[in-house]
Amino acid sequence: MSVLVRSGVGPLCAVARAAIPSIWRGKYFSSGNEPAENNPVTPMLRHLIYKIKSTGPITVAEYMKEVLTNPAKGYYVYRDMLGEQGDFITSPEISQIFGELLGIWFISEWMATGKSTAFQLVELGPGRGTLVGDILRVFTQLGSVLKNCDISVHLVEKTPQGWREVFIDIDPQVSDKLRFVLAPSATPAEAFIQHDETRDHVEVCPDAGVIIEELSQRIALTGGAALVADYGHDGTKTDTFRGFCGHKLHDVLIAPGTADLTADVDFSYLRRMAQGKVASLGPIKQHTFLKNMGIDVRLKVLLDKSNEPSVRQQLLQGYDMLMNPKKMGERFNFFALLPHERLEGGRHQRNARQSKPFASLVAGFSELAWQ
């Protein structure tokens, strides 16, 4: 059984291309009027300027890849970005309960699909291994296969000339400053736009589509489940490309290499790329998924076992951060891919008096019932 878990440290989809001198007016993007002292010339900025001068404007996808993963200057390579002293925090780092409940989810799916002796736990996403550590504590007898996930999002804008991809170029007025521009003609990213799309800005992620297609095919053929947990929406948002530095929003074009860059997952795109080969559930909000998984019960058990006021306070604060709708409770979403027969109840759960199998509940996506 193969299982994918997305930790939410970075986006399942991250970012684009452009070249007409037209500044792109994204919600989280550069206004173009920042004073020079707020735009320090970092080593990564020098690298990007040299690259653009050599080869021309680059896509946002290429920009994001360079800023985050360049082996010499990349943000993920030389910075400790997680935790209070870093630039952002993730659910696994907030509370052990998060990973423990995901471990229970995997065991639930493993049991529901026949307790296969071959079991793979695959995490796609960067981090410290905290999530997998918490999961493996729930089922320490099972092995895991860990891999990194490096994928990109492309930004596309609707113009009078049709859809045009967003690029990053050097500001002609300031030699050490970057800006967004629009491609003068069609680019391959535009092929991923739906014909009935009503939004005027769309973020597409071809790499994520490839991964979802491969996962869907594998799950359909050999069973298993994929669970995605990340910032996201169901095809409703437009501009979500943004930076984080010191737990605050950061201009994505300012001081590249010093802040994390991210973009929300478009779960409607993931559902579409599954192409009906497997069933999809969600997205549902994190507070709903965790409540369905029994987070309240687990919190009570941990509180009852602890006599240390500081530990109890930490548990309560972590719970609030995970569940509060104004914090991470509604910002993170859960999305799952499962074999069709899993939702249909499978051949082993058929009722002899009925022509159709029982619908089989999936942990986390159905309200928890105690018996």
Side-chain angles (χ1 to χ4, degrees):
M1 177 180 180
S2 299
V3 182
L4 166 102
V5 55
R6 172 65 181 164
S7 67
V9 173
L12 183 60
C13 303
V15 205
R17 246 190 202 245
I20 287 179
S22 170
I23 295 179
W24 197 71
R25 299 176 297 277
K27 180 178 179 182
Y28 294 104
F29 301 82
S30 174
S31 66
N33 298 318
E34 294 78 9
E37 60 268 21
N38 293 337
N39 188 14
V41 180
T42 62
M44 175 56 68
L45 179 57
R46 294 194 190 95
H47 167 72
L48 291 167
I49 290 174
Y50 178 79
K51 183 180 182 70
I52 293 172
K53 286 181 177 179
S54 300
T55 62
I58 60 176
T59 65
V60 178
E62 190 172 359
Y63 174 79
M64 194 168 187
K65 184 175 182 179
E66 287 290 328
V67 170
L68 297 180
T69 64
N70 182 283
K73 307 175 181 67
Y75 170 80
Y76 286 157
V77 175
Y78 73 95
R79 292 179 67 93
D80 185 11
M81 63 282 188
L82 292 172
E84 293 183 4
Q85 303 303 316
D87 295 319
F88 60 93
I89 191 68
T90 63
S91 294
E93 302 289 338
I94 291 172
S95 174
Q96 68 181 72
I97 302 177
F98 183 86
E100 290 172 349
L101 294 181
L102 264 61
I104 294 172
W105 188 89
F106 295 136
I107 290 178
S108 173
E109 285 306 300
W110 175 65
M111 294 176 65
T113 54
K115 300 181 181 179
S116 171
T117 56
F119 188 104
Q120 292 181 332
L121 173 66
V122 182
E123 180 188 9
L124 300 183
R128 297 170 173 167
T130 303
L131 177 63
V132 169
D134 290 337
I135 291 172
L136 292 181
R137 193 166 61 249
V138 178
F139 52 104
T140 56
Q141 300 303 313
L142 298 178
S144 64
V145 179
L146 303 179
K147 297 182 179 179
N148 287 328
C149 181
D150 180 17
I151 51 183
S152 302
V153 167
H154 293 255
L155 308 181
V156 189
E157 177 181 349
K158 184 180 290 185
T159 74
Q161 293 74 38
W163 290 101
R164 290 293 182 268
E165 190 171 359
V166 179
F167 281 43
I168 292 174
D169 197 4
I170 300 171
D171 191 326
Q173 305 299 323
V174 185
S175 61
D176 56 0
K177 185 179 179 182
L178 301 175
R179 66 169 185 167
F180 289 96
V181 293
L182 294 175
S185 59
T187 61
E190 297 163 32
F192 293 86
I193 304 295
Q194 293 293 288
H195 69 279
D196 57 350
E197 181 59 66
T198 59
R199 291 172 291 175
D200 56 3
H201 295 107
V202 180
E203 298 166 337
V204 296
C205 186
D207 291 343
V210 172
I211 290 177
I212 292 298
E213 283 184 326
E214 183 175 341
L215 281 172
S216 298
Q217 183 174 356
R218 179 170 297 186
I219 292 171
L221 291 175
T222 63
L227 182 65
V228 181
D230 212 330
Y231 291 106
H233 58 92
D234 205 11
T236 57
K237 292 186 179 180
T238 54
D239 310 329
T240 72
F241 178 40
R242 58 201 184 276
F244 282 100
C245 183
H247 299 271
K248 296 180 180 180
L249 282 172
H250 178 86
D251 192 309
V252 294
L253 296 185
I254 298 298
T258 65
D260 182 44
L261 301 179
T262 186
D264 285 2
V265 176
D266 184 343
F267 290 105
S268 68
Y269 171 70
L270 302 189
R271 186 185 304 111
R272 189 166 68 247
M273 296 309 293
Q275 299 178 342
K277 296 176 183 177
V278 293
S280 63
L281 294 177
I284 64 172
K285 299 300 182 183
Q286 174 168 291
H287 66 80
T288 301
F289 179 88
L290 295 180
K291 192 171 187 66
N292 289 343
M293 289 300 303
I295 188 173
D296 294 331
V297 176
R298 180 56 177 159
L299 175 66
K300 184 178 184 304
V301 170
L302 292 175
L303 289 174
D304 289 343
K305 288 183 177 181
S306 176
N307 295 321
E308 291 288 335
S310 60
V311 174
R312 295 172 61 88
Q313 183 182 15
Q314 184 179 17
L315 287 169
L316 291 171
Q317 289 177 343
Y319 176 89
D320 180 63
M321 181 65 74
L322 291 176
M323 298 295 287
N324 192 324
K326 296 182 179 180
K327 297 180 181 178
M328 299 182 75
E330 290 194 354
R331 295 178 184 175
F332 263 65
N333 293 267
F334 280 77
F335 177 83
L337 299 176
L338 302 164
H340 285 294
E341 55 268 26
R342 168 70 179 89
L343 298 186
E344 294 169 356
R347 291 178 295 177
H348 301 295
Q349 298 183 29
R350 291 181 183 275
N351 188 318
R353 298 181 180 179
Q354 297 179 344
S355 58
K356 295 183 179 180
F358 285 119
S360 184
L361 299 179
V362 177
F365 293 88
S366 303
E367 186 174 354
L368 187 65
W370 297 98
Q371 298 181 352

